């Protein structure tokens, strides 16, 4: 071990000349042994060289890495059209109006939960139901209607469901976002056009769907032109087996 007088000499050397470091020979003479012999792994490297090497390494690490090329998406981008009628047959207690505003006129915050039957665009198949909630945003007396924010789903039996969200105007056509789905609709995105036929009893929807495989033929029949007089086929209305999708939602 180094003597007290040796350590005192080293301390004196650094205090009297703080800028100039002791040379290896001075350090060896003062400590009484050679650092490189005792600790061969500890080799002296000039500060400016270490800094230069570090900078060189960092630069190479930053610029030398190849940027990863984005892999092409395999998600289908074809737009598929799906037409659906929503018909309130007055047998489900829908819609329910919850007047939370406690005002006589429709006002912000009033809630309207609802559930209606849905049919294929050609009105030959009972598909299932809608289920959702509308929040009243604004009463528009000059247009004799209301603006709602709507969040709801369309249920298609074993095929799964589609969820949508957006503005629902009782006095004109609107578009809502398709936010997702399940079953054959898993991964779906796009939008849906809502056409008001007879509020709140008959609505016609045209979905523009992306991100899914081709739709089954029984969902894509030629749609009947929307009008106040449209009605489902008697077989679909009676939910006969040939006029419903499998395990249709009721």
């Amino acid at each position: 071990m180094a003597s007290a007088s040796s350590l005192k000499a080293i301390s004196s050397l650094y205090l009297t000349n703080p800028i100039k470091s002791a040379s290896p020979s001075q350090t060896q003479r003062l400590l009484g042994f050679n650092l490189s012999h005792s600790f061969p792994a500890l080799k002296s490297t000039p500060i400016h060289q270490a800094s230069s090497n570090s900078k060189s390494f960092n630069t190479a690490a930053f610029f030398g890495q190849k940027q990863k090329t984005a892999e092409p998406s395999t998600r289908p981008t074809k737009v598929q059209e799906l037409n659906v009628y929503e018909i309130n047959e007055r047998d489900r207690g829908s819609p329910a109006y919850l007047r939370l505003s406690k005002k006589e006129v429709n006002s912000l915050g009033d809630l309207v939960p609802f559930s209606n039957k849905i049919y294929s665009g050609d009105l030959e198949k009972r598909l299932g139901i809608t289920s959702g909630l509308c929040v009243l945003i604004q009463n528009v007396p000059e247009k004799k209607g209301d603006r709602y924010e709507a969040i709801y789903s369309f249920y298609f039996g074993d095929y799964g469901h589609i969820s949508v969200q957006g503005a629902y105007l009782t006095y004109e056509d609107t578009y809502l976002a398709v936010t997702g789905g399940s079953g054959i609709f898993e991964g779906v995105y796009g939008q849906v056009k809502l056409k008001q036929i007879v509020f709140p009893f008959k609505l016609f929807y045209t979905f523009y769907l992306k991100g899914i495989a081709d739709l089954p033929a029984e969902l894509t029949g030629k749609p009947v032109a929307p009008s106040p007089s449209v009605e489902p086929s008697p077989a679909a209305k009676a939910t006969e087996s040939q006029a419903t999708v499998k395990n249709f939602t009721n």
Side-chain angles (χ1 to χ4, degrees), residues 135-157:
V135 181
L136 196 139
I137 302 301
Q138 182 184 23
N139 176 245
V140 189
E142 63 273 18
K143 294 187 177 181
K144 298 180 181 179
D146 298 301
R147 178 188 183 93
Y148 292 90
E149 181 67 17
I151 304 171
Y152 56 115
S153 296
F154 295 73
Y155 290 91
F156 298 85

Side-chain angles (χ1 to χ4, degrees), residues 86 112 114-116 118 129-134 148-155 161-169 174-180 192-196 203-205 207:
E86 180 183 15
V112 186
F114 65 94
S115 178
N116 297 312
I118 58 174
I129 62 170
T130 55
S131 176
L133 180 69
C134 288
Y148 292 90
E149 181 67 17
I151 304 171
Y152 56 115
S153 296
F154 295 73
Y155 290 91
H161 86 285
I162 298 174
S163 293
V164 303
Q165 180 175 355
Y168 170 38
L169 310 181
T174 52
Y175 284 86
L176 297 90
V178 172
T179 58
V192 58
K193 180 181 179 181
L194 182 161
K195 183 175 181 61
Q196 196 75 244
L203 299 93
F204 181 72
Y205 296 89
F207 288 87

